[in-house]
Amino acid sequence: QGQVMESGGGLVRSGDSLRLSCTASTSDFKTRAMAWFRQVPGKSREGISCLPHDSIPRTTYISESVKGRFTHSRDNSKNIFYLQMNDLKPDDTAVYICAQSRFRGCGDNWATPGDFSYWGQGTQVTVRS
């Protein structure tokens, strides 16, 4: 069946950096877009990044809330999807969740939950001021 699993979360201070990893044991990772979401209790899940299977820059997506601080990448040889988070702020505190899309690319409505076939359990990121 396969799964995706996040790692790399933790407790940091404002201005620090973290790199999250999403390791996939799915059979079709290399041909599917990957995405990062984050969830804060009491708030809607926020889609923050989407990277297509071939990492073509013109079809990637980074939320305005993290643009310039967060970047994503993938290593298709290792089935790992990354989120590099720099200059972290307290508002970035959330559970970060990766997901594998049913599609190769990231369309205009890429964050539709039903478009993802695998979801991780999430990793907690806490940023103290």
Side-chain angles (χ1 to χ4, degrees):
Q1 182 75 6
Q3 62 179 5
V4 296
M5 183 178 299
E6 307 88 345
S7 61
L11 172 62
V12 297
R13 290 187 172 274
S14 291
D16 285 351
S17 298
L18 277 176
R19 188 176 79 161
L20 305 183
S21 299
C22 174
T23 303
S25 60
T26 61
S27 61
D28 52 359
F29 173 87
K30 297 175 179 56
T31 61
R32 296 293 180 261
M34 294 296 294
W36 286 101
F37 294 79
R38 62 186 181 185
Q39 180 80 60
V40 176
K43 294 187 177 181
S44 300
R45 183 171 293 183
E46 178 188 9
I48 58 174
S49 93
C50 184
L51 185 64
H53 75 290
D54 54 6
S55 301
I56 294 179
R58 69 175 183 272
T59 61
T60 66
Y61 176 88
I62 296 283
S63 169
E64 288 297 322
S65 63
V66 302
K67 190 173 288 185
R69 299 187 298 120
F70 291 13
T71 59
H72 54 191
S73 61
R74 62 192 295 163
D75 185 338
N76 283 353
S77 70
K78 298 180 180 179
N79 279 24
I80 303 177
F81 176 49
Y82 300 101
L83 183 68
Q84 177 66 43
M85 306 186 293
N86 298 327
D87 190 23
L88 283 159
K89 305 178 186 303
D91 283 349
D92 295 319
T93 296
V95 175
Y96 285 73
I97 303 161
C98 73
Q100 180 174 307
S101 176
R102 301 180 189 279
F103 306 106
R104 291 175 177 263
C106 306
D108 289 343
N109 297 310
W110 67 268
T112 303
D115 288 349
F116 292 85
S117 48
Y118 298 96
W119 292 86
Q121 294 296 309
T123 186
Q124 176 71 45
V125 173
T126 303
V127 185
R128 302 294 190 200
S129 58

